[in-house]
């Protein structure tokens, strides 16, 4: 069955258009609720959101959907995606929902679903929910309609959990930290957690107004946090995205540290303490070849999956790994969370700074990146990857890179964009290869 609604990370689109309308959100609530009505207990769903203006509308529609099929609803208000995964387990809920479009602009929104174990749903579950969305909904009788309420202690529960991800002996009293919350879901909990651990804190991107999420701040707009690190002489900058499941670090020099270097650092520290499981880490096809070579030199493996943190997580669970993530900043530390958690990752990087008494620039320069170039090509209409000239350009590039680099071509799961990535030791050759494929895609679209 082909997917109509679900993409690589739940359902996402422009609000009041495409897939993100109140009517569709209510259908999602009804279908997901019906799918998880298992057993004779009183069923419960936890719903959280980020700070988008449309979150109110989507939340109300989802509440209507879930309660109409007999599920009780617990609403948390704005909280990070990993907090909803945590609370789904803690509250013994049957389902968790995060209303967020992550790093997208405020006009977009999305729906992410978690099972009772706090993990994102499988492909089979998503397909089953899509099938139910196309059927007539079985509404419960009036006495069985669900109830909805808000809980006030959700932020404190999450703060307590993330602080527990580092040793109880660790304090950040000697660190000055710039924290960029992207005007998003972590705007209250992330500053609170870091302040409670003793750091001198400079916070930006923590004044959400419903329309400024990810606007010039956050993990995809790093100029603001870099400037603030240089201006204040901070030891580290932490940039979260709109739902705080992603982290990009800025070192004390104002330079970007991507997810590959963070995974290398965390894996190395855990291996030194004999706590790394699985014999390596899991990342996606987008992670740099330099990371793979570095890990191989330590006798560790890098297992690759297709893009999407849910696919990284599936492989981690299958292979018994406890560290995985994406170059874009999703860090999954399974000892502490069931999904990517930017704040947990940030605290663990800061803990490594405290334990080693070394600056973050040294700790996160573990390997030399192989020249890598990624370009996005927007298209309209037919899928250009089916075009004969595009296929020929890709075959020629693969032959040119054979044995000395990698080529990854993939359509975005959330927008009409083809992503073209190549890497190898010759930067000029990589640029030529990427440009030739991009031109072929443009000509075909």
């Amino acid at each position: 069955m082909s997917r109509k609604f679900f993409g690589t990370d739940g359902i996402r689109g422009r609000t009041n258009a495409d897939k993100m309308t109140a009517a569709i959100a209510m259908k999602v609530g009804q279908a997901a609720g019906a799918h998880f009505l298992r057993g004779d207990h009183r069923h419960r769903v936890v719903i959280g959101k980020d700070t988008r203006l449309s979150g109110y509308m989507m939340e109300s529609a989802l509440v209507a959907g879930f309660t109409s099929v007999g599920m009780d609803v617990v609403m948390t208000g704005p909280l990070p995606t990993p907090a909803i995964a945590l609370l789904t387990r803690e509250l013994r809920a049957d389902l968790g929902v995060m209303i967020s479009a992550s790093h997208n602009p405020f006009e977009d929104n999305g729906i992410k679903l978690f099972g009772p174990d706090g993990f994102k749903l499988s492909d089979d579950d998503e397909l089953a929910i899509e099938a139910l969305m196309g059927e007539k909904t079985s509404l419960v009788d009036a006495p069985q309609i669900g109830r909805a309420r808000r809980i006030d202690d959700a932020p404190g529960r999450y703060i307590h959990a993330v602080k527990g991800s580092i040793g109880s002996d660790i304090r950040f009293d000697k660190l000055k930290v710039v924290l960029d919350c992207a005007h998003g879901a972590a705007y209250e909990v992330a500053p609170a957690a870091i302040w409670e651990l003793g750091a001198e804190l400079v916070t930006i991107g923590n004044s959400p107004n419903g329309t400024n999420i990810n606007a010039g701040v956050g993990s995809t707009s790093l100029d603001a946090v870099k400037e603030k690190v240089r201006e204040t002489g901070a030891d580290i900058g932490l940039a979260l995205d709109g739902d705080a499941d992603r982290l990009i670090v800025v070192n004390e020099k104002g330079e970007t540290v991507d997810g590959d270097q963070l995974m290398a650092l965390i894996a190395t520290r855990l291996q030194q303490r004999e706590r790394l499981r699985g014999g390596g880490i899991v990342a996606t096809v987008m992670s740099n070849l330099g990371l793979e070579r570095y890990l191989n030199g330590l006798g560790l493996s890098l297992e690759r999956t297709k893009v999407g943190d849910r696919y990284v997580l599936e492989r981690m669970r299958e292979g018994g790994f406890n560290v995985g993530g994406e170059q874009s900043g999703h860090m999954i530390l399974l000892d502490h969370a069931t999904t990517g958690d930017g704040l947990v990752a940030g605290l663990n990087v800061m803990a490594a700074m405290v334990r080693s008494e070394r600056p973050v620039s040294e700790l996160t320069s573990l390997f030399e990146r192989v020249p890598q170039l990624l370009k996005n090509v927007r298209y309209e209409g037919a899928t250009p990857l089916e075009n004969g000239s595009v296929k020929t350009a890709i075959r020629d590039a693969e032959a040119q890179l054979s044995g000395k680099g990698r080529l990854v071509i993939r359509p975005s799961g959330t927008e009409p964009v083809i992503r073209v990535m190549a890497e190898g030791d010759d930067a000029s050759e990589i640029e030529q290869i990427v440009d030739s494929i991009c031109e072929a895609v443009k000509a075909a679209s």
Side-chain angles (χ1 to χ4, degrees):
M1 177 181 173
S2 62
R3 291 170 174 264
K4 181 179 179 182
F5 296 104
F6 286 92
T8 56
D9 195 12
I11 304 172
R12 190 177 301 183
R14 185 62 55 101
T15 49
N16 274 347
D18 192 31
K19 298 176 284 191
M20 280 292 104
T21 66
I24 289 177
M26 186 171 73
K27 290 294 292 182
V28 172
Q30 291 174 329
H35 183 62
F36 280 89
L37 287 173
R38 304 165 182 176
D40 57 3
H41 62 279
R42 190 69 189 177
H43 291 78
R44 179 183 298 155
V45 57
V46 177
I47 299 179
K49 60 182 179 179
D50 64 23
T51 56
R52 294 165 208 270
L53 180 62
S54 58
Y56 296 99
M57 177 184 75
M58 303 304 290
E59 179 185 59
S60 298
L62 283 163
V63 170
F66 282 115
T67 54
S68 72
V69 296
M71 266 200 169
D72 290 338
V73 177
V74 175
M75 294 171 285
T76 69
L79 275 183
T81 288
I84 303 309
L86 168 73
L87 289 166
T88 300
R89 299 193 317 275
E90 281 202 351
L91 295 175
R92 309 299 192 267
D94 301 275
L95 190 63
V97 182
M98 179 65 184
I99 305 168
S100 176
S102 190
H103 59 280
N104 287 29
F106 92 93
E107 294 92 345
D108 295 347
N109 216 329
I111 299 171
K112 303 180 183 184
L113 301 176
F114 295 92
D117 56 3
F119 289 99
K120 290 181 179 178
L121 299 189
S122 67
D123 288 338
D124 289 343
D125 279 324
E126 289 182 348
L127 288 171
I129 291 169
E130 283 214 4
L132 288 170
M133 289 174 67
E135 300 176 2
K136 183 178 180 180
T137 303
S138 296
L139 303 178
V140 297
D141 293 334
Q144 280 75 51
I145 292 174
R147 298 175 182 272
R149 68 185 181 94
R150 295 189 180 274
I151 58 173
D152 298 324
D153 65 343
R157 293 185 186 217
Y158 176 65
I159 291 169
H160 177 75
V162 296
K163 287 165 58 181
S165 71
I166 61 173
S168 58
D169 60 320
I170 294 293
R171 293 186 58 89
F172 298 147
D173 301 77
K174 297 181 180 180
L175 296 183
K176 178 184 282 189
V177 181
V178 173
L179 174 65
D180 183 349
C181 298
H183 298 306
Y187 79 101
E188 289 185 327
V189 292
I194 294 174
W195 176 82
E196 288 179 17
L197 289 166
E200 181 181 347
L201 186 62
V202 178
T203 308
I204 63 175
N206 65 325
S207 301
N209 62 16
T211 63
N212 62 356
I213 187 170
N214 300 314
V217 288
S219 63
T220 53
S221 300
L222 296 172
D223 287 348
V225 66
K226 287 181 175 181
E227 181 180 348
K228 188 62 70 172
V229 167
R230 298 188 188 104
E231 174 192 320
T232 61
D235 298 293
I236 188 173
L238 305 177
L240 304 171
D241 68 339
D243 67 335
D245 65 351
R246 182 183 301 196
L247 169 74
I248 296 294
V249 165
V250 172
N251 68 24
E252 76 281 2
K253 301 175 184 178
E255 300 166 338
T256 302
V257 181
D258 68 16
D260 285 345
Q261 291 284 2
L262 298 184
M263 285 187 282
L265 168 63
I266 292 170
T268 300
R269 304 291 294 188
L270 286 175
Q271 184 198 33
Q272 291 170 350
R273 298 158 67 189
E274 299 184 346
R275 293 183 181 178
L276 184 68
R277 300 199 308 272
I281 68 174
V282 181
T284 75
V285 293
M286 302 304 288
S287 277
N288 194 269
L289 186 59
L291 172 62
E292 186 171 352
R293 292 173 177 173
Y294 169 75
L295 292 170
N296 291 165
L298 297 178
L300 301 174
S301 67
L302 173 63
E303 297 211 15
R304 294 183 184 269
T305 72
K306 58 184 177 179
V307 172
D309 62 320
R310 61 191 293 245
Y311 301 113
V312 172
L313 184 55
E314 286 174 4
R315 181 65 194 114
M316 290 174 68
R317 297 178 73 186
E318 290 170 359
F321 297 86
N322 60 342
V323 176
E326 297 187 277
Q327 185 187 78
S328 60
H330 284 118
M331 297 289 111
I332 306 174
L333 306 182
L334 269 186
D335 293 338
H336 309 295
T338 56
T339 188
D341 193 322
L343 182 53
V344 164
L347 295 185
N348 276 265
V349 172
M350 292 163 64
M353 295 171 66
V354 171
R355 287 193 175 99
S356 66
E357 297 184 339
R358 295 168 60 195
V360 69
S361 60
E362 291 184 14
L363 288 174
T364 56
S365 299
L366 294 172
F367 65 87
E368 184 176 346
R369 288 176 52 83
V370 171
Q372 183 185 82
L373 182 62
L374 169 66
K375 290 189 176 182
N376 297 324
V377 186
R378 189 168 292 273
Y379 65 91
E380 297 180 2
T383 304
L385 294 183
E386 299 300 318
N387 181 275
S389 61
V390 175
K391 290 181 178 180
T392 298
I394 292 173
R395 281 197 301 270
D396 291 346
E398 288 173 338
Q400 189 175 345
L401 281 174
S402 179
K404 57 181 181 179
R406 297 191 310 124
L407 179 68
V408 179
I409 314 291
R410 68 180 186 90
S412 167
T414 59
E415 53 186 333
V417 163
I418 302 296
R419 307 196 193 282
V420 182
M421 189 278 283
E423 64 180 353
D425 294 317
D426 187 334
S428 61
E429 181 181 38
I430 293 304
E431 184 174 11
Q432 175 265 315
I433 286 172
V434 170
D435 286 344
S436 67
I437 296 175
C438 287
E439 288 302 318
V441 171
K442 288 176 184 176
S445 59

